[in-house]
């Protein structure tokens, strides 16, 4: 089984397109889709609940806004698949790329990392990411090109190892790399956010950076 784990924070505008593009991609696979509502204040939760009529869809409510990575970890706790794929709800990474991740898993890779080609974000975000990727690789000794692209896949074993870490502020792609034996990185396409705005304010980006640094130092130790 393949589990798709999607954190959702105020994505009512993106959800209809997400459902209509993701469900056809997954129909040929034995799968489950786990949505984690991370304290949305809009109609996201009721729209997700509506999808639960489909027996492949499960919804978890965090009951507050705990952040993207914490929400994904909650999804991991509930995922049953042998391959667990994370993705954003805003369609910046096309669901149509999922079969390419599945193919890498079938080739024996236990952590499938991704690099956004022609990334469609602001200059500030792209430039900041470049610096952050470099700093993180210096600390961890890894050679990951794009820590921030969240359409990624992990084997059940890698996810179970991540769940054993006493967590508070962890950054998933970095931690997964530590626990994988045969990681791979593939290039995937990237689109502009079509609906709504980034859910990362400047303050939230700083918090995300801090959790990446905390995870990087934990890996180094
Ligand atoms: N998200 C979340 N909690 C948050 C912030 C974001 O669950 O506090 C979700 C959001 O709904 C989306 C994903 O995390 O599914 C990535 O967010 P976004 O696309 O806004 O990030 P960006 O593309 O700007 O890095
Ligand atoms: Mg986005």
């Amino acid at each position: 089984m393949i589990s798709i784990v999607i954190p959702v924070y105020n994505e009512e505008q993106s959800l209809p397109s997400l459902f209509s593009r993701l469900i056809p991609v997954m129909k040929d696979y034995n799968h489950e889709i786990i949505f984690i509502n991370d304290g949305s204040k809009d109609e996201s939760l009721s729209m997700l609940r509506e999808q639960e009529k489909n027996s492949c869809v499960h919804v978890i409510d965090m009951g507050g806004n705990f952040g993207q990575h914490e929400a994904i970890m909650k999804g991991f706790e509930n995922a049953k698949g042998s391959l667990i794929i994370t993705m954003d709800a805003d369609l910046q990474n096309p669901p149509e790329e999922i079969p390419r991740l599945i193919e890498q898993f079938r080739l024996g890779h236990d952590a499938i990392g991704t690099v956004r080609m022609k990334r469609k974000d602001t200059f500030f975000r792209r430039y900041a990411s470049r610096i952050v990727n470099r700093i993180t690789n210096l600390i961890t000794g890894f050679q990951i090109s794009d820590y921030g692209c969240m359409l990624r896949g992990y084997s059940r074993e890698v996810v179970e190892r991540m769940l054993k870490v006493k967590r508070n502020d962890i950054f998933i792609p970095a931690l997964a790399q530590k626990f994988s034996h045969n990681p791979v990185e593939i290039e995937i396409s990237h689109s502009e956010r079509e609906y709504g705005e980034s859910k990362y304010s400047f303050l939230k980006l700083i918090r995300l950076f801090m959790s990446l640094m905390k995870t990087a130092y934990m890996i180094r130790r």
Side-chain angles (χ1 to χ4, degrees):
M1 182 193 262
I2 297 163
S3 304
I4 309 284
V5 171
I6 309 178
V8 176
Y9 178 53
N10 294 340
E11 300 283 7
E12 63 179 8
Q13 289 169 290
S14 297
L15 289 178
S17 300
L18 175 64
F19 302 146
S20 68
R21 284 176 60 187
L22 177 62
I23 291 167
V25 170
M26 294 314 296
K27 76 174 189 324
D28 296 333
Y29 301 98
N30 176 21
H31 74 279
E32 61 175 359
I33 305 174
I34 303 175
F35 291 104
I36 308 95
N37 177 50
D38 187 27
S40 301
K41 294 181 188 73
D42 64 3
E43 290 306 309
S44 295
L45 182 58
S46 58
M47 294 169 80
L48 294 173
R49 291 269 182 236
E50 185 69 19
Q51 294 296 312
E52 270 186 320
K53 286 179 192 151
N54 173 345
S55 61
C56 294
V57 174
H58 309 288
V59 178
I60 300 167
D61 187 14
M62 297 290 284
N65 182 231
F66 292 86
Q68 181 181 6
H69 291 250
E70 200 53 43
I72 293 174
M73 289 302 271
K74 183 55 90 181
F76 283 168
E77 281 174 12
N78 291 275
K80 297 184 194 69
S82 52
L83 168 63
I84 295 142
I85 292 176
T86 61
M87 69 177 284
D88 293 349
D90 64 349
L91 295 163
Q92 284 200 268
N93 295 128
E96 293 78 13
E97 297 276 29
I98 290 174
R100 295 185 52 229
L101 274 76
I102 298 173
E103 188 188 319
Q104 293 299 321
F105 178 68
R106 289 185 175 154
L107 289 172
H109 296 291
D110 59 355
I112 300 109
T114 46
V115 188
R116 289 167 281 197
M117 292 312 293
K118 302 202 183 94
R119 185 171 162 196
K120 305 282 195 322
D121 279 321
T122 59
F123 174 76
F124 167 73
R125 289 289 300 270
R126 283 183 283 130
Y127 192 72
S129 292
R130 217 184 309 159
I131 297 169
V132 170
N133 288 331
R134 273 197 212 146
I135 297 173
T136 314
N137 283 336
L138 273 176
I139 300 170
T140 56
F142 297 155
Q143 283 191 320
I144 293 183
S145 312
D146 189 359
Y147 281 88
C149 183
M150 293 300 285
L151 173 55
R152 296 176 112 92
Y154 312 106
S155 70
R156 141 129 263 112
E157 291 71 27
V158 168
V159 164
E160 273 167 12
R161 283 177 214 133
M162 286 198 269
L163 285 172
K164 283 200 188 111
V165 173
K166 268 253 163 292
R167 69 175 195 259
N168 150 10
D169 271 355
I170 63 138
F171 195 95
I172 292 164
L175 198 61
Q177 186 82 0
K178 170 155 179 75
F179 291 139
S180 83
H181 296 301
N182 189 11
V184 69
E185 207 171 72
I186 60 170
E187 293 178 343
I188 58 168
S189 55
H190 193 246
S191 317
E192 274 178 46
R193 182 184 252 279
E194 216 167 308
Y195 311 98
E197 288 179 345
S198 170
K199 308 306 167 192
Y200 280 97
S201 59
F202 186 68
L203 190 67
K204 268 193 168 178
L205 281 175
I206 300 283
R207 266 194 224 141
L208 188 70
F209 173 70
M210 301 300 274
S211 58
L212 176 56
M213 290 301 105
K214 213 166 143 183
T215 308
Y217 277 108
M218 185 167 84
I219 288 166
R220 188 189 174 115
R221 279 203 312 272

